[in-house]
């Protein structure tokens, strides 16, 4: 995507507390993985509660381009993988997002061979795939990674279960190895697995098709390979990061927002930090209410794998901490380049500096509106939070990054009392229902 494409920008009139109720959409990260996983099935699959976001649109297009029969009706997509006739995902689509890497595990698991261009995604760090490849090799695949293309094929025609020790906790690696191993011969044990909700979601989806996966959500997952997978109807869980971003936006604007249709247990790490800051957080069933008390204390915060504080919420949280009382220390342990939003926040008067993987933020009384550029999805969300908090008008260039992962973000915030005007919009895929 070309930066500043179409002169697209969002203008935010800041200083308006958010109030009211908002409903969260289906999760981006579970959705893109489940769409890829549908290729593993021997029958048509129906996926419900898919969010209207760019990354979901691209994943659906990738499957369609491979020859799968895909039909979409609102938030529901039906995928018939029996018509797949191409073995290589389209280059430009695959490079548009990280989740195209799941096609490697899914195609290898289904057809015993796969070839994908090196995936794209947000530029937040190196984002290697060595653990995915190591795991696939352990399952008996010959894998090459050359000239930007990864090729894998099962030696002997079918993958075989194995014991795989991941050197680090990787969400994508864990999911890709679940996809590759669920139809392998025999049992696979995945040690040091990621425990994120979307890992559990992919396991639940595969199990709903007849896979035999136990232990997802713990750090040891046991997969007993099956010969075939049957059709299913499956609804995607609510988006953990959209929920968290709305909670942060509510607190950052000294507002009072009730987030509906979410899973409060997925939000424990964030809720604990908001409480520590002095924000009031109440939850019951699928509802979380976030209320400002007028107090905003500085924090020490470290991103960690689940159930630790999610890296995807670090950027919006950093924006809010710019006006907290005292000095906040934020350590980013997952991605090495996830502080690009800090230099934009500095344009608004934030006193922040980055020392390697730690951001030091000295709270100021208020931020002032400025012209800003989004560099990635969650950086975009952080700038929106900052714009909502700031005095005066903020302009955000490259808002297309936000559309990759937030469903109708500006519209939902405006319904809570924000004032965000979109200018120079491209065709709205969401409205077109594409
Ligand atoms: N890593 C390796 N080798 C590997 C795999 C990962 O070195 O083989 C490293 C990465 O470079 C990174 C760390 O391990 O430093 C964690 O990477 P992980 O594999 O867990 O992340 P991912 O699968 O690439 C997913 C989400 C991200 C989210 C991370 C962490 C999707 C499509 N993406 O990425 O979401 O930040 O897990 O929770 O699920 C976002 O939504 O904005 C986003 C970036």
């Amino acid at each position: 995507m070309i930066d500043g494409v179409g002169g697209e920008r969002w203008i935010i009139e800041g200083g308006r507390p958010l109030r009211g109720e908002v409903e969260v959409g289906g999760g981006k990260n579970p959705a893109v993985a489940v769409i890829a996983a549908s290729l593993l099935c021997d029958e048509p699959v129906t996926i419900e509660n898919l969010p209207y976001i760019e990354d979901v649109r691209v994943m659906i297009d990738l499957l369609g381009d491979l020859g799968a029969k895909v039909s979409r009706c609102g938030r529901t997509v039906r995928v018939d993988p029996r018509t797949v006739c191409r073995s290589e995902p389209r280059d430009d689509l695959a490079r548009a997002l990280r989740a195209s890497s799941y096609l490697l595990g899914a195609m290898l698991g289904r057809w015993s061979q796969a070839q994908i261009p090196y995936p794209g995604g947000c530029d937040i760090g190196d984002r290697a795939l060595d653990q995915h490849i190591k795991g696939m090799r352990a399952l008996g695949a010959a894998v090459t990674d050359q000239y930007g293309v990864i090729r894998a094929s099962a030696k002997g025609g079918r993958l075989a279960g194995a014991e795989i020790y991941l050197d680090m906790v990787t969400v994508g690696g864990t999911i890709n190895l679940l996809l590759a191993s669920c139809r392998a011969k025999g049992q696979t044990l995945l040690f040091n697995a990621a425990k994120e909700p979307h890992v559990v979601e992919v396991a639940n989806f595969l199990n709903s098709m007849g896979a035999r996966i136990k232990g997802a959500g713990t750090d040891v997952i046991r997969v007993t390979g099956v010969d075939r997978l049957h059709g299913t109807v499956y609804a995607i869980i609510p988006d953990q990061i959209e929920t968290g971003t709305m909670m942060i936006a509510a607190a950052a604007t000294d507002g009072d927002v009730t987030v509906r249709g979410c899973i409060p247990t997925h939000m424990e790490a964030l809720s604990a930090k908001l409480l520590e800051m002095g924000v009031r957080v109440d939850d019951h069933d699928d509802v979380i209410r976030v209320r400002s008390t007028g107090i905003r204390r500085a924090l020490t915060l470290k991103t960690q794998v689940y159930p630790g504080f999610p890296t995807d919420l670090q950027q919006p949280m950093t924006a809010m901490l710019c006006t907290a009382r005292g000095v906040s220390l934020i350590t980013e342990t997952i991605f090495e380049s996830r502080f690009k939003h800090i230099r934009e926040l500095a344009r608004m008067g934030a006193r922040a500096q980055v020392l390697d993987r730690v951001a030091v933020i000295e709270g100021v009384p208020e931020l002032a509106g400025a012209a800003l550029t989004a560099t990635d999805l969650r950086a975009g969300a952080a700038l929106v939070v900052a714009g909502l908090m700031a005095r005066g008008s903020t302009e955000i260039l490259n808002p297309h990054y936000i559309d990759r992962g937030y469903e109708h973000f500006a519209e939902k915030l405006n319904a809570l009392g924000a004032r965000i005007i979109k200018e120079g919009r491209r065709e709205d895929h969401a409205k077109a229902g594409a």
Side-chain angles (χ1 to χ4, degrees):
M1 186 80 70
I2 301 160
D3 281 2
V5 65
E8 212 185 331
R9 57 186 192 148
W10 288 10
I11 312 288
I12 305 177
E13 298 301 333
R16 301 159 70 96
L18 300 185
R19 292 188 199 289
E21 297 191 354
V22 63
E23 184 92 21
V24 289
K28 169 181 89 83
N29 289 340
V32 290
V34 162
I35 292 170
S38 67
L39 284 180
L40 282 154
C41 196
D42 294 286
E43 292 171 358
V45 163
T46 300
I47 311 167
E48 299 174 340
N49 199 32
L50 285 170
Y52 283 120
I53 55 171
E54 192 60 12
D55 278 14
V56 161
R57 187 189 67 80
V58 175
M59 282 306 288
I60 290 172
D61 284 357
L62 272 163
L63 261 53
D65 186 69
L66 287 171
K69 199 167 158 207
V70 184
S71 52
R72 179 166 191 170
C73 179
R75 294 175 188 282
T76 301
V77 165
R78 184 176 186 273
V79 179
D80 186 345
R82 292 173 299 187
T83 52
V84 167
C85 52
R86 276 170 51 93
S87 57
E88 281 173 50
R90 209 174 90 193
D91 196 72
D92 58 327
L93 293 175
R95 288 176 193 278
L97 80 180
R98 178 72 177 174
S100 61
S101 62
Y102 295 143
L103 297 177
L104 187 67
M107 294 174 84
L108 180 64
R110 177 72 176 83
W111 294 289
S112 297
Q113 55 182 9
Q115 174 168 327
I116 61 159
Y118 210 86
C122 285
D123 183 14
I124 50 181
D126 190 32
R127 309 193 80 176
L129 291 173
D130 56 301
Q131 299 302 304
H132 304 227
I133 292 172
K134 169 182 142 165
M136 289 177 195
R137 285 187 176 138
L139 292 169
V143 188
T144 60
D145 177 4
Q146 271 185 318
Y147 310 116
V149 177
I150 304 174
R151 293 185 176 82
S153 62
K155 296 180 215 158
R158 188 178 177 188
L159 296 178
E163 294 197 356
I164 303 170
Y165 298 83
L166 293 168
D167 296 336
M168 68 190 63
V169 179
T170 149
V171 171
T174 304
I175 290 176
N176 231 344
L177 294 174
L178 289 182
L179 302 180
S181 63
C182 68
R183 296 182 65 138
K185 190 171 162 49
Q187 181 173 280
T188 296
L189 281 173
L190 208 50
F191 296 97
N192 202 22
K195 298 185 281 235
E196 268 66 5
H198 35 305
V199 171
V200 178
E201 183 73 344
V202 172
N204 287 343
F205 173 69
L206 293 170
N207 284 343
S208 79
M209 300 193 292
R212 292 173 62 198
I213 300 172
K214 284 193 172 156
T218 74
D219 48 21
V220 183
I221 305 181
R222 181 189 301 264
V223 183
T224 306
V226 294
D227 290 335
R228 68 184 311 278
L229 294 173
H230 57 73
T232 187
V233 178
Y234 194 87
I236 301 291
I237 51 167
D239 197 302
Q240 178 198 18
I241 307 304
E242 184 193 1
T243 303
T245 308
M246 289 297 178
M247 291 168 68
I248 293 169
T253 58
D254 287 327
D256 179 353
V257 171
T258 300
V259 186
R260 292 197 174 274
C262 60
I263 301 180
T265 48
H266 291 170
M267 307 313 306
E268 295 295 352
L270 173 63
S271 296
K273 283 293 165 190
L274 291 177
L275 288 166
E276 208 178 309
M277 286 181 80
V279 177
R280 186 158 171 203
V281 182
D282 301 291
D283 64 61
H284 63 92
D285 303 330
D286 64 348
V287 174
I288 302 179
R289 183 174 177 189
V290 176
R291 272 178 277 184
S292 165
T293 58
I295 302 167
R296 191 175 302 173
R297 296 185 204 100
L299 285 183
T300 297
L301 184 154
K302 197 184 257 192
T303 62
Q304 278 169 336
V305 296
Y306 190 81
F309 192 91
T311 170
D312 295 345
L313 289 175
Q314 174 266 110
Q315 291 159 295
M317 192 71 171
T318 309
M320 171 160 64
L321 289 171
C322 289
T323 60
R325 201 179 163 84
V327 177
S328 295
L329 293 179
I330 295 138
T331 308
E332 172 57 61
T333 70
I334 311 289
F335 291 108
E336 62 272 23
S337 310
R338 220 173 191 179
F339 279 135
K340 289 182 188 156
H341 58 299
I342 298 270
R343 65 169 183 246
E344 300 299 306
L345 296 173
R347 291 170 185 264
M348 308 177 86
R351 261 191 227 140
Q353 53 175 316
V354 179
L355 306 165
D356 193 18
R357 286 197 173 214
V358 182
V360 182
I361 301 179
E362 192 186 326
V364 293
E366 66 173 4
L367 296 179
L372 310 173
T373 304
T375 51
D376 57 77
L377 165 60
R378 309 298 173 191
L383 301 187
V384 171
V385 168
L388 294 172
M389 293 161 65
R391 172 175 45 84
S393 174
T394 292
E395 177 188 49
I396 300 180
L397 291 179
N398 289 339
H400 59 81
Y401 283 116
I402 301 169
D403 295 333
R404 290 188 54 182
Y406 289 93
E407 178 183 272
H408 299 147
F409 195 42
E411 292 77 3
K412 286 184 179 181
L413 291 168
N414 283 345
L416 292 170
R419 194 166 151 72
I420 304 176
I421 299 158
K422 294 174 168 185
E423 291 187 353
R425 291 282 293 157
R426 292 163 298 150
E427 187 191 345
D428 189 331
H429 296 294
K431 280 191 193 131

